[in-house]
Amino acid sequence: MNNVEPMTIFGYEKLQAEVKDLKEVKRPGVVKAIEEALEHGDLKENAEYHAAKEMQKNIDNRLAELQELLGNAQIVDPSELEHARVSFGSTVVMTDIDTDEEVTYTIVGGAESNPDMGLISFNSPLAKQLLGKEEGDEVKVRLPGGEKEFEIDEVKYQEIVFDSH
């Protein structure tokens, strides 16, 4: 059973761009570094060779990971979804019942999450506890810092801003 990874077209294109960069720029660069290190002879004490081989392994692992993500990707256009309840792409405005602090989160794919910008992964513990909830619901969520209780003030779709340029 493959894990379907919902993501927006932004996340999908971001992953594709990373694959292209790794395949066309980073990996050929490492292969060249390995060839140059080999010319220096003795491999046992050749730190450049070992560093380049390690980097090649990391690039290959990341490529495999990206290929799997892209293979499981399900491109979702959140603007076409119903946002009466929290779902993929929803922006949720909540109030912390204890502190009265208002927080806003948008639920996105794992590849596009950026908690500092309020973009949380569909697979994160918080998102999983919010999915399906609607305005007016009170929700107790378990977070790494303990349990918090929120009241959901608003569930809506708004255009998702991924980059803070």
Side-chain angles (χ1 to χ4, degrees):
M1 171 80 198
N2 62 351
N3 302 325
V4 171
E5 278 286 334
M7 60 183 70
T8 63
I9 190 72
F10 171 87
Y12 189 78
E13 287 171 352
K14 181 177 150 187
L15 292 177
Q16 280 186 316
E18 188 180 342
V19 166
K20 187 175 185 321
D21 180 54
L22 287 171
K23 277 187 172 167
E24 295 175 11
V25 180
K26 299 225 167 55
R27 197 167 192 291
V30 165
V31 169
K32 194 169 178 319
I34 289 171
E35 286 167 3
E36 286 171 5
L38 283 172
E39 289 167 12
H40 299 163
D42 186 14
L43 295 182
K44 275 197 284 302
E45 293 174 17
N46 190 330
E48 292 156 14
Y49 172 79
H50 293 289
K53 284 300 272 186
E54 182 66 23
M55 197 181 292
Q56 183 181 29
K57 192 176 88 184
N58 292 341
I59 288 173
D60 289 344
N61 289 344
R62 181 63 180 153
L63 276 169
E65 193 181 307
L66 288 168
Q67 241 104 35
E68 186 180 342
L69 273 174
L70 288 168
N72 295 337
Q74 179 184 17
I75 296 175
V76 179
D77 179 350
S79 67
E80 293 175 359
L81 299 177
E82 172 77 56
H83 292 279
R85 293 176 178 273
V86 179
S87 67
F88 181 81
S90 292
T91 294
V92 186
V93 181
M94 312 184 292
T95 302
D96 183 319
I97 290 174
D98 295 331
T99 65
D100 232 18
E101 179 193 0
E102 188 180 88
V103 290
T104 302
Y105 293 110
T106 300
I107 298 175
V108 296
E112 41 209 16
S113 71
N114 182 341
D116 295 339
M117 289 173 60
L119 303 174
I120 61 171
S121 166
F122 182 76
N123 290 315
S124 69
L126 178 58
K128 284 182 172 167
Q129 297 171 80
L130 292 175
L131 292 171
K133 300 283 189 269
E134 51 193 332
E135 288 178 18
D137 283 355
E138 287 190 7
V139 56
K140 259 194 183 120
V141 295
R142 282 195 174 74
L143 299 170
E147 205 172 77
K148 282 192 167 197
E149 206 170 341
F150 293 102
E151 180 170 350
I152 297 180
D153 302 321
E154 194 179 0
V155 178
K156 62 185 174 186
Y157 171 73
Q158 62 185 32
E159 195 177 330
I160 302 169
V161 178
F162 292 102
D163 287 318
S164 55
H165 296 314

